[in-house]
């Protein structure tokens, strides 16, 4: 048995996982996001670590009751952001969340001066205000003393691993954005220099080798109720962990993580991008040699669903009947789903992208509005997956995949069967899969992939949505010049 831990942005979960990928028990606890003026979104590392301790101890207690031996602790969690620590693993100021927007000025400047394009040409990864590079640059300009006090500028997963093992490390998946030469699994010094951050290079831990395991310290073992020296697996972070946990196996396969945002990923056997193309998305190193993920992390997702349900005065429990009360095409209503204040970052970068409804009439119903938004998110998923190189099967996970009606829309828009795992907590499953690989006891991936329900597309709906998708792409082409005419302050 392995304890898989997924440290999300707002919830920390721990599961006791067997070799079939089944969670024997799961416990969770909420975390706190602290928001402040200037787009600041922060988390307290001590609170996050405490959340891990609490859920792991609960799982350990139940494992001991059932006499289930623990082979390893596998950790995954949120990516991006900036988690500064000293040599002992204590935080140097609060962690800057991936939702933090204080570096938006840096992003504007880098766009104007060509830094974003330079970095993209070297790494294939675009940046956004919540990624580590812009946040480092912002602190270098506004709080350099904080950087001088830090020994490492890392991420959520490696911050927890440092607390539990004493090791300063980073998984290559986390390090991928924005400065890693993913194929070489080493930093591009030219990319770091292009961003003006060579003076802070020593804060970036070199990625751990493939299959690396760490040992649980005596102090952490007492906190967690686990044996000292227990193997600890550090990563990959939640997006790639979800891809593997959801059943992605062969190059060309794709995964949708239908969460607050929409993580669209395709497994590839080579890093292949147009250096002069749209500077969007990212390439991630994975726990497997010569396997990479082309990722389009769109800003649309269940946050859009929450918004439209609030707007029509409905709760999430009403989603299925609402979607059932409107046919494909939503009574002539169509939508663009770009509701995030940060605009969009994949498969194109438009910081001032905004959403819209068209085709409204006095006959438009709440069900039409909800369906139009759900269709728009599905169109965005197809746009991102195709851009990422989708040629194989598609799996889906996250809160949005729990809806049978919305899953059907995704399958119909994609024109492909949608494979949805029966088990929740696929991030922890992916982390546990990696841990078993590192222990030299790989699981049967085909058997894990079979534990999924398959949503088959309806042929008539596929034909209808093919036309709708082309209209969706045309709508984006018409809107992009308008988004760039942003109002002056």
């Amino acid at each position: 048995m392995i304890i898989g831990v997924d440290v999300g942005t707002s919830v920390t979960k721990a599961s006791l996982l067997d070799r079939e990928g089944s969670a024997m028990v799961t416990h969770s606890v909420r975390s706190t996001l602290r928001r402040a003026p200037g787009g600041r979104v922060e988390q307290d590392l001590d609170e996050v670590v405490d959340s891990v301790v609490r859920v792991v101890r609960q799982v350990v207690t139940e494992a001991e009751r059932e006499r289930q031996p623990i082979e390893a602790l596998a950790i995954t969690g949120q990516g991006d952001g900036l988690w500064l620590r000293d040599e002992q693993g204590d935080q140097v100021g609060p962690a800057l969340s991936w939702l933090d927007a204080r570096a938006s000025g840096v992003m504007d400047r880098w766009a104007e001066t060509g830094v974003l394009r330079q970095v993209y040409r070297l790494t294939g990864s675009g940046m956004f205000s919540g990624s580590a590079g812009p946040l480092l640059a912002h602190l270098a300009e506004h709080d350099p003393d904080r950087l001088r006090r830090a020994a490492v500028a890392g991420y959520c997963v490696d911050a927890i691993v440092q607390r539990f093992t004493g090791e300063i490390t980073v998984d290559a998946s986390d390090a991928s954005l924005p400065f890693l030469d993913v194929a070489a699994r080493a930093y591009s010094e030219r990319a770091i220099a292009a961003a003006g951050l060579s003076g802070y290079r020593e804060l970036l831990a070199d990625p751990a080798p493939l299959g690396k395991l760490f040992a649980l310290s005596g102090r952490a073992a007492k906190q967690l109720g686990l044996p000292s020296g227990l193997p600890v697996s550090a990563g990959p972070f939640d997006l790639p962990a979800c891809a593997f946990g959801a059943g992605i196996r062969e190059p060309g396969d794709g995964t949708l993580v239908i969460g607050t945002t929409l993580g669209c990923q395709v497994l590839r056997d080579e890093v292949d991008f147009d250096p002069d193309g749209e500077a969007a998305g990212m390439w991630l190193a994975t726990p497997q040699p010569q396997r990479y993920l082309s990722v389009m992390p769109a800003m649309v997702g269940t946050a859009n669903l929450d918004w439209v349900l609030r707007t029509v005065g409905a709760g999430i429990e009403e989603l299925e009947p609402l979607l059932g009360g409107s046919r494909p095409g939503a009574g002539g209503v169509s939508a663009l789903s770009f509701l995030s204040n940060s605009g969009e970052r994949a498969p194109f970068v438009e910081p001032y992208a905004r959403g819209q409804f068209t085709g409204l009439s006095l006959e438009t119903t709440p069900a039409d509005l909800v369906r139009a938004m759900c269709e728009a998110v599905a169109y965005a998923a197809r746009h991102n997956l195709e851009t990422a190189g989708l040629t194989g099967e598609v799996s889906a996970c996250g809160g949005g995949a729990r809806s049978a009606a919305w899953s059907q829309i995704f399958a119909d828009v994609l024109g492909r069967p949608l494979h949805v795992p029966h088990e929740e907590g696929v991030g922890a499953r992916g982390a546990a899969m990696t841990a078993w690989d590192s222990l030299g006891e790989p699981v049967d991936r085909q058997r894990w992939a079979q534990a999924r329900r398959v949503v088959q597309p309806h042929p008539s709906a596929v034909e209808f949505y093919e036309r709708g998708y082309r209209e969706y792409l045309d709508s984006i082409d018409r809107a992009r010049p308008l988004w760039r005419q942003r109002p002056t302050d």
Side-chain angles (χ1 to χ4, degrees):
M1 306 292 282
I2 283 179
I3 296 179
V5 180
D6 188 349
V7 187
T9 308
S10 56
V11 177
T12 298
K13 295 181 181 179
S15 298
L16 184 64
L17 295 156
D18 64 18
R19 289 186 56 80
E20 305 301 314
S22 296
M24 312 303 291
V25 61
T26 298
H27 286 281
S28 63
V29 63
R30 295 196 67 81
S31 300
T32 304
L33 283 175
R34 295 179 171 84
R35 298 180 183 271
R40 296 167 183 257
V41 184
E42 300 176 337
Q43 288 191 273
D44 182 86
L45 175 57
D46 293 333
E47 180 187 358
V48 172
V49 170
D50 180 65
S51 74
V52 177
V53 171
R54 289 166 61 190
V55 293
V56 169
R57 285 194 68 92
Q58 288 175 307
V59 171
V60 168
T61 298
E62 297 198 34
E64 290 175 342
R65 186 181 301 128
E66 300 298 323
R67 300 180 183 275
Q68 297 285 357
I70 308 301
E71 297 179 63
L73 180 65
I75 302 174
T76 186
Q78 58 184 291
D80 297 312
L82 189 65
W83 298 61
L84 294 164
R85 295 103 62 192
D86 62 19
E87 291 281 358
Q88 289 70 46
D90 293 324
Q91 64 183 354
V92 179
L96 281 61
S97 168
W98 64 274
L99 293 166
D100 197 285
R102 74 187 70 187
S104 57
V106 172
M107 287 293 295
D108 288 343
R109 186 167 68 246
W110 283 0
E112 293 171 1
T113 59
V115 171
L116 298 184
R117 173 59 62 181
Q118 286 180 271
V119 173
Y120 181 78
R121 284 175 172 158
L122 293 165
T123 68
S125 287
M127 287 186 278
F128 68 106
S129 57
S131 57
L135 290 171
L136 266 175
H138 176 87
L139 291 182
E141 183 177 351
H142 297 281
D143 195 0
D145 181 63
R146 185 169 170 184
L147 296 182
R148 282 192 290 269
R149 291 184 284 116
V152 57
Y155 306 86
C156 176
V157 172
D158 50 88
I160 294 165
V161 170
Q162 187 181 2
R163 285 290 188 90
F164 287 172
T165 71
E167 300 277 357
I168 293 178
T169 185
V170 66
D171 187 75
S173 62
D174 259 321
S176 295
L177 184 66
F179 298 130
L180 200 71
D181 179 334
V182 172
R185 297 178 72 90
Y187 291 113
S188 167
E189 303 298 339
R190 292 172 61 197
I192 296 171
L197 293 171
S198 296
Y200 298 99
R201 169 65 177 85
E202 73 279 1
L203 297 179
L204 306 178
D206 290 325
L210 285 169
K212 175 70 174 177
L213 290 170
F214 303 90
L216 193 65
S217 70
R219 178 182 177 184
K222 290 180 181 178
Q223 289 179 304
L224 297 167
L226 291 168
S228 178
L230 183 79
V232 177
S233 177
F237 80 90
D238 56 6
L239 271 180
C242 283
F244 291 108
I248 202 168
R249 287 175 294 162
E250 300 296 331
D253 287 353
T255 297
L256 287 173
V257 184
I258 313 170
T260 303
T261 56
L262 190 66
C264 305
Q265 311 176 74
V266 175
L267 190 65
R268 304 283 292 272
D269 55 10
E270 63 178 347
V271 177
D272 178 24
F273 65 94
D274 178 3
D276 296 316
E278 190 91 48
M282 62 183 80
W283 286 85
L284 300 181
T286 78
Q288 301 177 4
Q290 283 77 56
R291 291 292 184 268
Y292 315 97
L293 281 168
S294 176
V295 183
M296 293 290 159
M299 299 299 287
V300 303
T302 58
N304 294 66
L305 175 62
D306 294 339
W307 177 86
V308 73
L309 288 174
R310 286 196 309 270
T311 300
V312 302
I316 188 64
E317 69 282 356
E318 299 173 75
L319 176 60
E320 301 299 298
L322 282 167
L323 290 177
S326 179
R327 296 177 58 80
V333 179
S334 60
L336 292 180
S337 56
F338 308 112
L339 302 185
S340 170
N341 288 339
S342 300
E344 188 50 274
R345 57 175 175 167
F348 52 82
V349 178
E350 291 288 357
Y352 299 96
R354 292 297 179 263
Q356 65 182 42
F357 283 105
T358 57
L360 298 172
S361 74
L362 292 176
E363 296 180 355
T364 297
T365 67
D368 293 331
L369 295 175
V370 172
R371 186 175 189 95
M373 184 58 72
C374 287
E375 289 176 346
V377 174
Y379 287 140
R382 177 172 171 177
H383 194 187
N384 280 280
L385 285 173
E386 289 184 349
T387 303
L390 176 70
T391 58
E393 71 175 35
V394 183
S395 56
C397 60
R402 291 197 290 268
S403 165
W406 202 7
S407 294
Q408 187 65 59
I409 291 173
F410 278 106
D412 293 341
V413 168
L414 291 169
R416 299 168 182 267
L418 192 68
H419 301 261
V420 182
H422 294 301
E423 294 277 345
E424 295 185 20
V426 294
R429 293 176 81 219
M433 185 184 291
T434 300
W436 267 306
D437 285 346
S438 299
L439 290 168
E441 305 169 5
V443 299
D444 185 336
R445 281 171 162 75
Q446 185 171 359
R447 182 180 297 178
W448 279 39
Q450 290 172 347
R452 301 182 293 182
R453 63 181 172 93
V454 182
V455 183
Q456 294 289 350
H458 294 152
S460 60
V462 170
E463 183 179 352
F464 176 86
Y465 283 128
E466 184 64 34
R467 295 192 300 272
Y469 179 57
R470 300 304 160 190
E471 293 170 1
Y472 168 83
L473 296 179
D474 289 342
S475 295
I476 291 175
D477 288 341
R478 290 193 298 269
R480 290 186 72 175
L482 300 177
W483 292 333
R484 292 167 184 168
Q485 297 172 15
R486 60 185 186 268
T488 56
D489 295 333

